[in-house]
Amino acid sequence: MPNLHAHLRKAMHRLRQLQSGYQDIERAGQEVQLRQSEQSLRITLESMGDGVISTDQNEKVTFLNPAAQELTGWTLEEAVGNPFAQVFRIYNSLTGEPAENIVRTVLQTKDKVNLANHTVLISKDGTHRHISDSAAPVRGLQGETLGVVLIFSDITEQYQLQQKLLDSEARSKAALQLARLGTWELEVNTRNFLISPECCDIFGLPHSKDYGHDALERLVHPEDREIVTGIYTKALQGDEQSFQIQNRIFRKSDDALRNLKTYVNVERDEMGNLHKIIGVVQDITEELKVGKRIQESEKLYRTAFEKSVIGQAHVELDGRFLRVNDTLCKILGYRPEDMIAHSILEFAHPTEKISLQESKQRILTQGITTVATPRQFLRKDGRIAWLSVSSLLVKNSDGEPLYILSSLIDITARHQAEMELIQSERRLRRAQAQAHSGNWEIDLETMKMWASDEAFRIYGYEIAENNILPLQIPQNAVISSQRKMLDEALELLLTKDIPYDIEFSIQRINDGKMRALHSQAIVERDEENRPRRVLGVLQDITDRRRLEEEYRRALATTMDGFLLYDQSFHILQVNEAFCNLLGYSWGELTGKPVEEIEADLNLLKQRRDVVLNVGADRFETQMIRKNGEKVIVEISLSYIPGSDTFCAFVRDITERKHREEHIRFLSYHDVLTGLYNRTFFERECLRLEEQQIFPVTIVMGDINGLKLTNDVFGHMQGDKLLTAIAEIFRRNLRSDDIAARIGGDEFCLLLPYTTSEEAKVFCEKIQADCDREIIRFEDGNSVSLSIAIGHATRWSDEDGFHDTFKLAEDVMYKQKLLEHKSMHSTLITSIRATMYEKSHETREHADRLIDMACRLGRRMGLDDSQISDLELLGALHDLGKIGVPEQILDKPGPLTDLEWVQMRRHPEIGYRIAQASPELSAVADGILCHHERWDGEGYPQGLKEANIPLLARILSVVDSYDAMTSRRVYHDPISSEQALEEIRRCAGSQFDPQIADLFLEMMKDGSYSHAVY
């Protein structure tokens, strides 16, 4: 930005000098130079992407470039003469107050001023844009302040991205609060210990006090302290990065015994030294209490449920779902598209709708967070799902509400288990007091059966007096195919004391429904060891079997693979998804050793040990498909106590890992060349600096002629230069060397442990490879590859990387100046060949123009320098047709309005190409103006009379004559007499009348003859 201000000050100073001397210079020659300078300044300002406004010392607007006109909404004619503050209305987006008048500040301080952050510009049509700008004084020859120049740019998109980042951080913080987790951090070097308020609550400590790590350790249960200390010692000394700890504490505030689970992560610096230990603490006391009460038969189902992901939803302020996750969809049985844009009330149980509306209103009006509230919802199949709902209002950085974040945990199974547990406890108390509920007895002497009330209800038989149940009732209820099995089991109990533990089915008497029962019994013997009575318990397990069947169906339909194996790592059970993942059938996997499908069995064994300590673990590994291919998977592993088995949910993450790898590649690589980008280059500089690696040589390279190649042959051809240079670098680099593209045509190489002499040899080899490389374009043209290279070496800490980089850059630019002329000469030859081929203008046509123009120029008394420029202009005046589509150039009939717009761009295209080359810059204005007319009706600028450069006026006459008398795609030739008559007719309108008269005289006196082609 400072360089741009300096450029503008110089340009405006030059303009004032030209204006002040305008009255004193001779009109014939110097007037042309003045207009050319004004034109150059105007083109520079109009081509800038940033807005430019200038004022006088009275704060009146004197100039706006096109970019400033677009951003402010004021045209140049509207704005000039108006107060700056009226045209450039700005305010502070944070306070809403008008921002300072930057022009007034500059005039008062006489120094450069930058606007404050959060500045917003209001355009004339009311559009608000965030801007970044600066202003500087314009000084006269004596140092006096003549006015102010303001340069500004639209940064609305960057500002919005920054605000989105702040909103994202707010949502992350809200999610942490909703999860009710506590955190602590221990900085190993400083021993600083930070503990979050949520963590203080878990340990029962006040928020306002600073604590050391030992303050938490003192609260650990004495029996667990050695385990906790050992884990943290392992974290400090070992190489493992993360741990899980489960231990007990006595909460400080009430001495209550609480069970905690802590996830510990170890951070190391780039040198591998231990830097920080971070812990995330969760109170799992209530979960453990519920887990202990659930029946053994439901442990596998409970374990799978506990490891499932929590349902999450973003709810709009009007109650409609904005976003839902897969877990919530699976819980309720809907697809995401069935839920998005629908109100949450549509899925709630009718009894919950009023309370949900009231809860939402409290969240919106009072900001109250709802925590772990049980709610009833309706699944798609009509069944009720009990969900624990926690909600939090998420706001943006301005405090405006965005949406409601809700966490919905499926507690249906837990709710049912709690209800069944309450009933079971009631039955147990009655059984202990009366020995009736769910019990039965058979007196072997009388063969009479006694049964509790619950046993009567199980069989569907009306409770009889004294609870005597006729023995034939339960016998006849058993389905016929299983009666023999029950008789044999009872016989084995009576004769051999083999435990009676059996499952069977009955047809209930009162309604005929089939029920599944589980019965256990013992035999009571007399003093002579003779069986006297059988005592048994009876349980209806129909619902449990239904749950187990649902569990099996869930495993069969889940997208994740399921794997169950024992302590010896043999597979016990898999689901269809796991079979599909590895390409095996169910029979091929059952009983198979895990080591045959696991690429790293040692890792699985290590994780098994972790799971045995903490109960569960999640990690990534590779598995082997049946065809030998490896697949990257994420495994959620848990241990099922009492069964000595391990339960694993397996998810294929191969595609995700590949996407992550691709993103990492794009973060540090240039997409076109495949080399590293500037971000990686700067990171490597810091690494080499921190590791004290010496010597390090920096090599800077800049492709010669890339911009000219892009302008003339197109960016696709310019890209070939870039990729060719990149390939040469790759061929010559060592394994530790770094090559990066740090700019459009700039490359930088880092060569560790490389001296200046070695770098010189390296650079000479690069130059030699470039000299041998010929880049061939699709149109048949070709160009030699050329690059300017400079290098500098960093020998010690005293040499900064920035200084070494600057030195290499300076050497490179010196070489670039030496090679500039040669490279441009080669490109100009290619340009002329391309122009003749694409525009269908022949070299003979160019030769005729040059001959006629030079003859006419000598008649007008032009000097040798002007004649040389006229000759070059005659050869390259249609240079810009390179940028016009061939279908327009070759069209035999009239052009459409849109085609004429494209055709009329060729003088500007040619002007830009000529300006890029020192050899052509002298005729750039002639190329730009060779289609201007004496009466001002020409293009592209509508210049009039003497404002048109002299050489362009000469070329206009001879080019028109040759065009009329030559054969073209769009017309046949006419005679020389007809063409001369047309030039005479258009003198004073299309042509300079004096030049037209001289040309007619030249053609009339026979000094030039022309044949029709």
Side-chain angles (χ1 to χ4, degrees):
M1 191 69 77
N3 293 334
L4 185 56
H5 282 306
H7 174 70
L8 289 173
R9 286 198 298 271
K10 290 179 181 179
M12 296 193 70
H13 176 62
R14 182 181 177 192
L15 178 61
R16 286 194 297 273
Q17 285 181 320
L18 291 171
Q19 290 174 336
S20 65
Y22 185 83
Q23 300 298 327
D24 300 326
I25 61 178
E26 296 181 0
R27 184 180 185 86
Q30 297 184 1
E31 182 181 33
V32 174
Q33 297 179 4
L34 175 61
R35 285 181 170 81
Q36 291 175 344
S37 298
E38 292 174 340
Q39 179 180 321
S40 298
L41 177 59
R42 179 180 58 78
I43 292 173
T44 298
L45 293 177
E46 290 181 351
S47 65
M48 289 178 58
D50 292 343
V52 179
I53 301 178
S54 64
T55 72
D56 58 19
Q57 57 187 350
N58 295 319
E59 302 181 20
K60 301 291 186 179
V61 175
T62 60
F63 174 76
L64 288 85
N65 74 339
Q69 294 176 39
E70 180 181 353
L71 293 174
T72 63
W74 289 71
T75 65
L76 181 63
E77 294 76 11
E78 293 172 338
V80 171
N82 282 308
F84 170 78
Q86 182 177 347
V87 176
F88 197 74
R89 295 189 298 151
I90 54 177
Y91 70 92
N92 188 301
S93 63
L94 295 181
T95 64
E97 297 295 327
E100 64 174 335
N101 186 327
I102 192 170
V103 168
R104 185 171 300 164
T105 303
V106 171
L107 292 173
Q108 291 173 352
T109 62
K110 303 186 183 302
D111 198 1
K112 177 185 173 182
V113 174
N114 294 323
L115 270 183
N117 293 331
H118 310 290
T119 300
V120 176
L121 171 67
I122 307 176
S123 67
K124 193 174 182 182
D125 62 2
T127 302
H128 293 235
R129 297 182 176 92
H130 286 269
I131 61 169
S132 171
D133 72 345
S134 61
V138 178
R139 306 188 189 280
L141 295 176
Q142 305 302 321
E144 72 278 13
T145 301
L146 302 178
V148 175
V149 171
L150 175 80
I151 300 177
F152 62 99
S153 58
D154 185 355
I155 62 168
T156 303
E157 184 176 352
Q158 299 95 307
Y159 186 87
Q160 291 173 345
L161 288 174
Q162 183 180 11
Q163 295 306 307
K164 289 181 180 179
L165 178 59
L166 294 175
D167 294 342
S168 176
E169 291 174 350
R171 290 192 293 269
S172 298
K173 183 177 180 181
L176 186 60
Q177 293 176 350
L178 191 60
R180 301 185 303 282
L181 299 175
T183 63
W184 56 260
E185 294 184 10
L186 174 63
E187 295 183 359
V188 176
N189 294 332
T190 62
R191 306 303 295 177
N192 287 338
F193 185 71
L194 304 176
I195 178 171
S196 68
E198 294 82 5
C199 191
C200 288
D201 293 338
I202 291 174
F203 281 88
L205 297 170
H207 290 189
S208 60
K209 186 176 179 182
D210 296 331
Y211 302 100
H213 192 266
D214 56 345
L216 302 187
E217 292 182 350
R218 286 196 295 268
L219 300 177
V220 176
H221 192 287
E223 296 178 1
D224 294 345
R225 288 179 183 173
E226 183 176 351
I227 297 176
V228 173
T229 303
I231 289 294
Y232 285 104
T233 301
K234 185 177 180 182
L236 291 170
Q237 298 176 351
D239 295 330
E240 295 191 42
Q241 196 167 0
S242 61
F243 304 91
Q244 291 186 17
I245 306 170
Q246 186 169 328
N247 62 279
R248 297 164 293 173
I249 67 163
F250 289 104
R251 192 162 54 194
K252 181 70 174 176
S253 57
D254 56 5
D255 287 330
L257 181 65
R258 309 298 293 177
N259 287 276
L260 305 184
K261 180 180 287 187
T262 305
Y263 303 86
V264 181
N265 190 64
V266 178
E267 290 189 359
R268 299 182 182 275
D269 58 24
E270 295 183 356
M271 300 297 293
N273 297 321
L274 189 61
H275 171 58
K276 184 186 292 185
I277 301 177
I278 301 173
V280 180
V281 184
Q282 182 181 14
D283 188 334
I284 60 171
T285 305
E286 299 305 323
E287 287 81 353
L288 290 179
K289 287 182 179 178
V290 173
K292 291 178 182 178
R293 296 176 183 175
I294 298 179
Q295 299 176 7
E296 188 68 24
S297 61
E298 298 173 352
K299 287 181 180 179
L300 182 60
Y301 179 78
R302 184 190 70 244
T303 301
F305 166 74
E306 289 176 350
K307 302 310 170 188
S308 64
V309 181
I310 294 174
Q312 295 284 341
H314 292 178
V315 183
E316 294 187 2
L317 303 183
D318 61 0
R320 290 180 293 118
F321 281 118
L322 179 65
R323 184 177 301 159
V324 295
N325 70 351
D326 291 340
T327 300
L328 182 58
C329 294
K330 291 177 182 177
I331 290 173
L332 297 180
Y334 290 94
R335 299 175 300 172
E337 55 266 30
D338 297 331
M339 301 182 69
I340 299 299
H342 290 272
S343 173
I344 189 174
L345 298 179
E346 297 179 32
F347 304 92
H349 192 276
T351 60
E352 300 284 359
K353 293 185 177 181
I354 295 177
S355 60
L356 279 173
Q357 288 178 322
E358 292 174 348
S359 176
K360 185 193 75 171
Q361 192 63 28
R362 287 196 303 272
I363 294 173
L364 295 177
T365 59
Q366 304 175 26
I368 296 176
T369 300
T370 63
V371 178
T373 304
R375 302 284 190 189
Q376 294 183 75
F377 286 82
L378 292 176
R379 292 189 174 100
K380 187 175 182 179
D381 60 8
R383 293 182 299 153
I384 294 177
W386 282 88
L387 305 184
S388 177
V389 183
S390 302
S391 298
L392 176 69
L393 181 64
V394 179
K395 301 179 180 179
N396 61 16
S397 58
D398 296 328
E400 299 173 344
L402 296 175
Y403 58 85
I404 298 172
L405 173 63
S406 293
S407 175
L408 303 97
I409 304 175
D410 188 352
I411 60 170
T412 305
R414 190 180 76 186
H415 182 269
Q416 293 174 349
E418 289 174 349
M419 296 299 101
E420 292 177 4
L421 180 61
I422 292 173
Q423 295 174 5
S424 177
E425 289 174 345
R426 290 174 180 172
R427 287 194 299 268
L428 179 60
R429 286 193 296 269
R430 287 199 302 269
Q432 292 173 342
Q434 305 173 1
H436 292 304
S437 178
N439 298 343
W440 56 267
E441 298 178 9
I442 299 178
D443 189 328
L444 297 177
E445 293 182 1
T446 63
M447 295 304 294
K448 289 185 178 180
M449 181 178 184
W450 173 92
S452 66
D453 291 351
E454 182 62 22
F456 274 91
R457 285 191 288 270
I458 288 174
Y459 281 101
Y461 192 73
E462 186 177 351
I463 299 174
E465 186 178 357
N466 298 323
N467 287 89
I468 299 301
L469 180 64
L471 193 57
Q472 65 273 19
I473 295 298
Q475 290 176 336
N476 294 335
V478 177
I479 61 175
S480 59
S481 61
Q482 295 180 349
R483 291 174 186 173
K484 182 178 179 181
M485 176 185 67
L486 266 69
D487 292 340
E488 292 176 348
L490 183 58
E491 181 67 21
L492 291 173
L493 172 65
L494 296 176
T495 59
K496 298 182 180 181
D497 280 331
I498 294 178
Y500 183 93
D501 188 343
I502 192 169
E503 293 183 4
F504 57 96
S505 300
I506 67 167
Q507 185 174 19
R508 199 157 52 188
I509 296 172
N510 58 348
D511 56 12
K513 291 183 178 180
M514 300 297 296
R515 307 296 292 179
L517 306 184
H518 177 216
S519 182
Q520 293 177 300
I522 60 173
V523 62
E524 184 180 277
R525 298 180 182 274
D526 59 17
E527 296 177 354
E528 297 179 1
N529 200 34
R530 291 177 299 185
R532 189 173 67 87
R533 186 169 55 174
V534 178
L535 306 176
V537 293
L538 187 67
Q539 182 182 10
D540 187 336
I541 60 171
T542 307
D543 292 337
R544 190 185 76 187
R545 281 192 174 179
R546 177 178 55 81
L547 289 175
E548 290 173 351
E549 180 60 28
E550 289 180 356
Y551 165 67
R552 283 191 291 270
R553 286 202 301 268
L555 289 181
T557 59
T558 181
M559 297 293 291
D560 292 339
F562 173 77
L563 172 66
L564 190 70
Y565 59 89
D566 58 21
Q567 288 276 17
S568 61
F569 289 94
H570 281 78
I571 298 174
L572 302 176
Q573 184 180 351
V574 294
N575 67 348
E576 184 177 356
F578 188 78
C579 294
N580 294 336
L581 175 65
L582 298 186
Y584 288 96
S585 66
W586 183 89
E588 290 174 323
L589 285 173
T590 305
K592 194 179 191 70
V594 176
E595 62 184 6
E596 294 187 19
I597 61 171
E598 170 59 46
D600 189 353
L601 186 61
N602 289 330
L603 174 63
L604 197 62
K605 291 179 178 179
Q606 293 172 5
R607 296 297 182 173
R608 176 195 62 182
D609 296 338
V610 174
V611 169
L612 289 175
N613 286 330
V614 300
D617 190 19
R618 178 177 293 179
F619 57 95
E620 295 177 4
T621 184
Q622 289 185 337
M623 285 189 166
I624 305 172
R625 289 192 170 107
K626 185 177 181 179
N627 60 9
E629 295 179 355
K630 291 183 179 180
V631 57
I632 306 174
V633 297
E634 180 183 71
I635 295 181
S636 297
L637 185 64
S638 58
Y639 174 63
I640 305 174
S643 64
D644 291 331
T645 56
F646 293 87
C647 169
F649 282 89
V650 183
R651 175 172 296 179
D652 184 352
I653 60 171
T654 305
E655 183 177 351
R656 189 188 80 190
K657 299 299 288 187
H658 290 168
R659 288 198 302 269
E660 292 173 355
E661 185 63 30
H662 182 62
I663 291 172
R664 281 194 294 270
F665 178 86
L666 294 179
S667 298
Y668 293 114
H669 288 78
D670 173 55
V671 176
L672 175 64
T673 65
L675 300 181
Y676 291 111
N677 59 18
R678 190 182 192 99
T679 299
F680 185 85
F681 169 77
E682 293 175 349
R683 194 185 76 168
E684 284 299 293
C685 288
L686 291 176
R687 180 183 67 81
L688 294 175
E689 186 173 25
E690 292 173 355
Q691 295 180 359
Q692 299 288 298
I693 293 177
F694 303 106
V696 176
T697 294
I698 295 179
V699 178
M700 284 289 298
D702 190 295
I703 297 181
N704 294 319
L706 179 62
K707 183 180 185 304
L708 188 57
T709 301
N710 287 335
D711 289 341
V712 176
F713 300 107
H715 283 79
M716 290 184 64
Q717 311 306 329
D719 289 346
K720 290 185 176 180
L721 301 184
L722 293 168
T723 55
I725 286 290
E727 182 57 33
I728 289 175
F729 285 150
R730 268 191 287 267
R731 291 201 304 261
N732 289 278
L733 289 180
R734 302 166 301 185
S735 59
D736 293 335
D737 297 338
I738 299 296
R741 181 185 177 197
I742 62 173
D745 53 3
E746 291 183 338
F747 296 84
C748 196
L749 283 67
L750 285 175
L751 309 180
Y753 305 109
T754 304
T755 64
S756 298
E757 292 75 13
E758 293 170 333
K760 181 180 179 182
V761 174
F762 175 83
C763 292
E764 289 174 351
K765 192 171 187 314
I766 294 294
Q767 290 282 21
D769 287 354
C770 289
D771 292 341
R772 291 191 294 269
E773 191 80 16
I774 302 297
I775 307 302
R776 303 191 183 278
F777 301 148
E778 281 79 358
D779 57 9
N781 292 300
S782 63
V783 64
S784 297
L785 193 60
S786 176
I787 185 171
I789 294 183
H791 65 87
T793 303
R794 181 173 185 260
W795 295 97
S796 65
D797 273 340
E798 296 179 359
D799 304 323
F801 257 103
H802 180 270
D803 296 333
T804 308
F805 181 89
K806 185 65 170 63
L807 181 58
E809 188 177 41
D810 292 342
V811 175
M812 179 266 294
Y813 278 123
K814 288 179 182 178
Q815 186 189 26
K816 189 172 183 68
L817 290 175
L818 296 176
E819 297 184 359
H820 181 78
K821 185 173 182 180
S822 173
M823 181 63 185
H824 274 70
S825 297
T826 303
L827 285 172
I828 289 170
T829 301
S830 298
I831 288 170
R832 293 188 66 173
T834 302
M835 181 190 73
Y836 288 139
E837 178 178 350
K838 185 169 184 180
S839 66
H840 302 290
E841 299 289 355
T842 64
R843 188 175 297 276
E844 290 76 11
H845 167 68
D847 291 342
R848 290 195 301 272
L849 286 188
I850 293 170
D851 184 42
M852 285 190 291
C854 290
R855 287 174 181 269
L856 183 58
R858 292 190 182 94
R859 274 186 175 247
M860 296 172 62
L862 300 184
D863 57 29
D864 290 343
S865 174
Q866 291 174 307
I867 294 296
S868 296
D869 289 345
L870 188 58
E871 182 178 354
L872 185 59
L873 178 61
L876 298 177
H877 66 283
D878 277 336
L879 178 62
K881 288 185 178 179
I882 293 175
V884 178
E886 292 188 13
Q887 62 267 28
I888 295 178
L889 296 174
D890 296 340
K891 186 173 182 179
L895 299 181
T896 65
D897 291 343
L898 181 59
E899 289 171 338
W900 265 116
V901 170
Q902 293 179 280
M903 175 64 82
R904 289 181 176 180
R905 290 180 58 245
H906 81 269
E908 299 178 56
I909 297 173
Y911 173 80
R912 289 200 303 271
I913 297 173
Q915 281 286 76
S917 173
E919 293 86 345
L920 304 182
S921 60
V923 298
D925 288 337
I927 293 174
L928 180 66
C929 300
H930 77 277
H931 277 293
E932 299 288 356
R933 291 170 52 102
W934 181 258
D935 57 8
E937 297 298 321
Y939 66 88
Q941 303 176 86
L943 300 181
K944 188 175 182 181
E945 298 180 356
N947 289 330
I948 305 171
L950 177 61
L951 300 187
R953 283 180 272 153
I954 295 173
L955 184 69
S956 176
V957 174
V958 298
D959 188 31
S960 296
Y961 174 80
D962 193 75
M964 287 186 288
T965 57
S966 302
R967 187 175 304 280
R968 297 296 175 93
V969 173
Y970 46 86
H971 75 73
D972 294 327
I974 63 176
S975 67
S976 176
E977 292 74 12
Q978 291 174 311
L980 292 175
E981 180 59 34
E982 182 67 14
I983 289 176
R984 181 181 292 108
R985 187 180 67 81
C986 295
S989 58
Q990 181 176 352
F991 309 117
D992 183 327
Q994 294 182 1
I995 295 175
D997 289 344
L998 287 174
F999 178 74
L1000 293 171
E1001 290 177 5
M1002 181 182 78
M1003 302 301 291
K1004 183 177 180 181
D1005 62 17
S1007 61
Y1008 183 82
S1009 62
H1010 173 65
V1012 176
Y1013 293 89

